Amino acid sequence: VQLQASGGGLVQAGGSLRLSCAASGNIVTINRMGWYRQAPGKERELVAVITSGGSTSYANSVKGRFTISRDNAKKTVYLQMNGLKPEDTAVYYCNVDHLTYYSGSSYSSKYDYWGQGTQVTVSS
């Protein structure tokens, strides 16, 4: 089971990026998916989360600029980031709070599962 994040890069202030995080493996169910970020010298913080039913929640700092969505058929979560600011510069990580997968002979679970990060750099 893997979470593969992509879509980061370098963009000027005011620009846009779209992050994707695809879950792979014999995944049966995925509960809440989300994006977190960690800037140099700072703690990792929540950016946005989305439940399996589509309910969303955002950090105050990104409300109105970022939009989280998911495609359950593709087992993918997206983060559309508009109006980017230099303070959005960070490594962005995707997270799943709980997923179940088939491991050949039985079903197993993973909790608080992280993908590798993708760097987002916003220049002023």
Side-chain angles (χ1 to χ4, degrees), residues 23-45:
S24 62
N26 294 322
I27 295 171
V28 179
T29 63
I30 301 176
N31 195 15
R32 193 182 71 180
M33 305 181 82
W35 290 95
Y36 292 71
R37 67 187 182 187
Q38 187 167 19
K42 295 188 176 181
E43 293 188 353
R44 191 172 298 187
E45 63 176 2

Side-chain angles (χ1 to χ4, degrees), residues 17-95:
L17 284 174
R18 189 191 194 209
L19 305 183
S20 299
C21 179
S24 62
N26 294 322
I27 295 171
V28 179
T29 63
I30 301 176
N31 195 15
R32 193 182 71 180
M33 305 181 82
W35 290 95
Y36 292 71
R37 67 187 182 187
Q38 187 167 19
K42 295 188 176 181
E43 293 188 353
R44 191 172 298 187
E45 63 176 2
L46 181 146
V47 176
V49 293
I50 184 167
T51 69
S52 57
S55 296
T56 60
S57 181
Y58 296 90
N60 288 334
S61 60
V62 307
K63 280 182 181 177
R65 299 188 298 123
F66 291 10
T67 302
I68 190 171
S69 61
R70 63 191 283 172
D71 184 329
N72 290 328
K74 294 182 178 180
K75 301 181 177 66
T76 300
V77 62
Y78 305 97
L79 186 68
Q80 178 65 45
M81 304 186 293
N82 299 327
L84 282 160
K85 304 175 180 180
E87 51 263 43
D88 294 318
T89 295
V91 177
Y92 285 69
Y93 298 90
C94 60
N95 172 272

